[in-house]
Amino acid sequence: MRSFTDVAAIANNATAILGPARLGVRWVDIGPPVRAEIIVMPSSGEDSSHDVTLGGTFPVGEETWRFADLVMPSLDEWEVTVRRVDHGEVPEPPTGRPWERARLSPYGQLDEAQLQAVEAALGQPLPPDYRDWLRRNNGAQPEVDHHVPGVTFTLMPERPLFGVHPQHPPTDLVAAQRVHRDPWLSPDWLVIARPSGGLLLVSTAQPQDSRVYFLPEQDMVGPASVNRASKLRPVAGSMPELVGRLTPLDHV
């Protein structure tokens, strides 16, 4: 049975209908080489999975299809393009760009005593998800400028993710609260970075909330009594997701 279409785009968490089958993508690995696991779900018969390199082919019933292209703006977002292969076809080169891993240099690790000392200095416990990330990384310095596509901030080498550096206040988490949080927000929030364009924060009032929030610079004006918490917008569901969404600006 011939497909209804000769080309299809498959987004993450979605499927594409070709006619004789539905296709899904379980994962994408940027490699090198770029690979994806493509799931073929026929209208009758058993599902099959295929580990396919970009440019490689896989069967869909009696047809042959190619993993033709990939657009991947972040670690958890992608759109895989597949194309039916005709006899004697010369494949076109891919034009999309895979996501490039964030180029961050962690400052090291923290032990439990250091974490407890930070919490004592802050006068409040660290949010559990952020605490674990801080324990494993102690902040991180970007090697080049990074951003999250669609969000108006730039994380730079001179404006890193804060860690425990009391000897260097510009990158120290505790010092950052006095300088960057207290003039604008209550202790219900913890500033974790001061990128160009605003603030990155996590919630201390709701420990179950692992999201990372952004406060744009244009909202950092006026008296301290202004309800700035209403201006915060989530940019990632957790610290690992934030790192997964950070994209080097020299890659775009």
Side-chain angles (χ1 to χ4, degrees):
M1 181 176 179
R2 187 178 176 84
S3 300
F4 295 151
T5 180
D6 291 332
V7 62
I10 312 166
N12 54 299
N13 300 319
T15 60
I17 299 175
L18 302 183
R22 287 186 300 124
L23 297 188
V25 178
R26 181 167 288 149
W27 49 257
V28 170
D29 183 349
I30 60 173
V34 175
R35 298 163 45 237
E37 183 179 2
I38 299 176
I39 312 300
V40 179
M41 296 165 276
S43 53
S44 62
E46 296 184 356
D47 297 353
S48 60
S49 63
H50 307 273
D51 186 336
V52 188
T53 301
L54 182 61
T57 60
F58 59 96
V60 179
E62 297 179 354
E63 298 178 347
T64 300
W65 282 68
R66 187 182 308 281
F67 175 13
D69 214 340
L70 170 67
V71 175
M72 192 175 184
S74 74
L75 181 62
D76 299 313
E77 300 173 85
W78 64 75
E79 185 177 81
V80 166
T81 298
V82 294
R83 188 181 302 275
R84 190 172 59 81
V85 176
D86 290 320
H87 179 69
E89 173 193 306
V90 177
E92 298 178 359
T95 58
R97 302 185 71 182
W99 172 75
E100 182 184 349
R101 290 185 177 90
R103 306 206 295 270
L104 303 178
S105 297
Y107 290 110
Q109 296 182 344
L110 299 173
D111 58 30
E112 182 60 27
Q114 290 172 304
L115 289 168
Q116 291 181 9
V118 170
E119 291 176 321
L122 290 169
Q124 60 191 150
L126 294 164
D129 180 79
Y130 176 72
R131 191 183 200 268
D132 184 62
W133 182 86
L134 190 67
R135 175 185 61 82
R136 291 182 287 107
N137 296 275
N138 192 21
Q141 183 179 38
E143 296 178 11
V144 297
D145 292 356
H146 286 65
H147 77 145
V148 170
V151 187
T152 56
F153 75 79
T154 304
L155 197 67
M156 301 178 285
E158 62 272 23
R159 295 195 180 192
L161 293 162
F162 296 133
V164 180
H165 311 291
Q167 74 285 358
H168 190 248
T171 63
D172 182 60
L173 182 68
V174 174
Q177 308 316 305
R178 294 192 295 269
V179 176
H180 302 301
R181 179 194 66 188
D182 295 347
W184 314 112
L185 292 158
S186 76
D188 287 349
W189 301 95
L190 186 75
V191 173
I192 62 169
R194 174 58 167 105
S196 172
L199 301 175
L200 292 177
L201 309 100
V202 293
S203 172
T204 59
Q206 303 181 63
Q208 73 281 6
D209 185 359
S210 298
R211 289 175 292 183
V212 179
Y213 293 83
F214 174 59
L215 177 65
E217 203 162 63
Q218 62 264 28
D219 294 317
M220 297 166 59
V221 294
S225 60
V226 172
N227 181 20
R228 287 186 181 80
S230 64
K231 305 292 187 180
L232 298 175
R233 58 173 292 192
V235 295
S238 64
M239 285 300 296
E241 184 179 320
L242 174 68
V243 172
R245 296 196 67 201
L246 286 170
T247 301
L249 277 170
D250 63 4
H251 181 68
V252 298

